[in-house]
Amino acid sequence: MKFRRQQDLQVDSQKCNITDIATVSPTEMLVCDFDQCKVNLMDSTAGGVVASVSVPSGPWRICLVNERMAAVSVTWNKVQFIKLGRGSLTLDRVLEVSKDILGITTLENSLVTSCIGPPCVEMMSMDGKVKYTLDNQKAGREVFEKPYFMASSMDGFIYVTDSGTNTVTKLDSRLNMLGTYTDSSLHDICGIISISRDQLLVCSLDKHSIVLLNTHTGNTTVLLGEQDGLKKPYALTYCHSQRKLFVAPFHNTTHIQVYKPRP
């Protein structure tokens, strides 16, 4: 697909540090503002914040648990659950965890998280009981260095981007390694989403591009770059009903960039 830039969506009149975004419905998405320690519910059609809730500390990543609940990784070893209402956000329970996590996603009614001290990926129950762990020692090699972002796919796999090793790692539901992907187009990689079976979109921060990764063939295609107005893409989400790609630039921004496939 080739994409065409649409009108940006304004998040705030003041610059904010957007660390993650996630589609909630055909018209709304969640936005993590790290500097203001807030999670915002944003209108993804017209822009603007519909609702906002303060979290205990800076929010890193966000994922949907179900249509009524989201989970946010926040600094100082916590996962904050947030209830989603009609145009509203409400703090739910806080889950204390043993590590200061960054990446977070869900799979088979479990939380999957990543951390960097030391780098590892863990799968745990919704009440925090660890089921599986994958670190460099267990893998037998330096797989992870900076596993900052994660995504789960509709066919039951987990993908981890590592901006230190410039790789995307594929894991199964027990955190067994199934493959590692790397390419010259993937450098200082951050945000990742699964858009269909075997297809991922990945933010290549230093390359100022969005890369399509086919996990079946291992092939990569640069979909968007500086010529399309991208500069340091950090996080992204895709709305299938609107057929729009939303991209949050790295640090100090007031807008989210919007792209739509060309006819």
Side-chain angles (χ1 to χ4, degrees), residues 36 72 105 136 154 193:
Q36 297 186 50
V72 187
T105 188
N136 291 335
M154 60 185 68
I193 54 171

Side-chain angles (χ1 to χ4, degrees), residues 53-57 69-83 90-99 101 104 111 124-128:
V53 66
S54 296
V55 292
S57 51
M69 187 75 69
V72 187
S73 60
V74 296
T75 52
W76 314 124
N77 303 41
K78 292 181 177 65
V79 174
Q80 173 69 63
F81 290 91
I82 297 177
K83 286 184 179 179
T90 308
L91 291 183
D92 197 70
R93 64 189 177 95
V94 175
L95 176 63
E96 300 277 352
V97 292
S98 60
K99 298 178 176 66
I101 63 175
I104 190 168
L111 290 175
M124 65 184 73
S125 63
M126 289 295 171
D127 60 3

Side-chain angles (χ1 to χ4, degrees), residues 158-219:
I158 303 158
Y159 296 91
V160 186
T161 62
D162 196 300
S163 64
T165 60
N166 297 315
T167 58
V168 177
T169 299
K170 181 179 182 179
L171 309 174
D172 68 11
S173 58
R174 294 190 176 186
L175 303 190
N176 296 307
M177 288 183 57
L178 302 178
T180 302
Y181 308 90
T182 186
D183 186 82
S184 59
S185 63
L186 299 172
H187 192 268
D188 200 4
I189 51 181
C190 296
I192 182 171
I193 54 171
S194 172
I195 56 170
S196 65
R197 185 182 179 90
D198 299 327
Q199 290 191 320
L200 308 172
L201 294 184
V202 187
C203 291
S204 188
L205 187 74
D206 282 356
K207 295 284 186 177
H208 307 288
S209 60
I210 303 294
V211 178
L212 173 67
L213 171 61
N214 186 311
T215 60
H216 178 68
T217 64
N219 294 335

Side-chain angles (χ1 to χ4, degrees), residues 4 54 56-57 92 108 144 203 243-244:
R4 178 178 298 166
S54 296
S57 51
D92 197 70
E108 298 179 356
F144 301 123
C203 291
R243 299 186 72 237
K244 287 182 179 179

Side-chain angles (χ1 to χ4, degrees), residues 140-159:
R141 60 188 177 93
E142 297 295 312
V143 179
F144 301 123
E145 187 178 324
K146 298 177 181 178
Y148 286 163
F149 282 84
M150 313 179 72
S152 54
S153 63
M154 60 185 68
D155 48 352
F157 299 110
I158 303 158
Y159 296 91

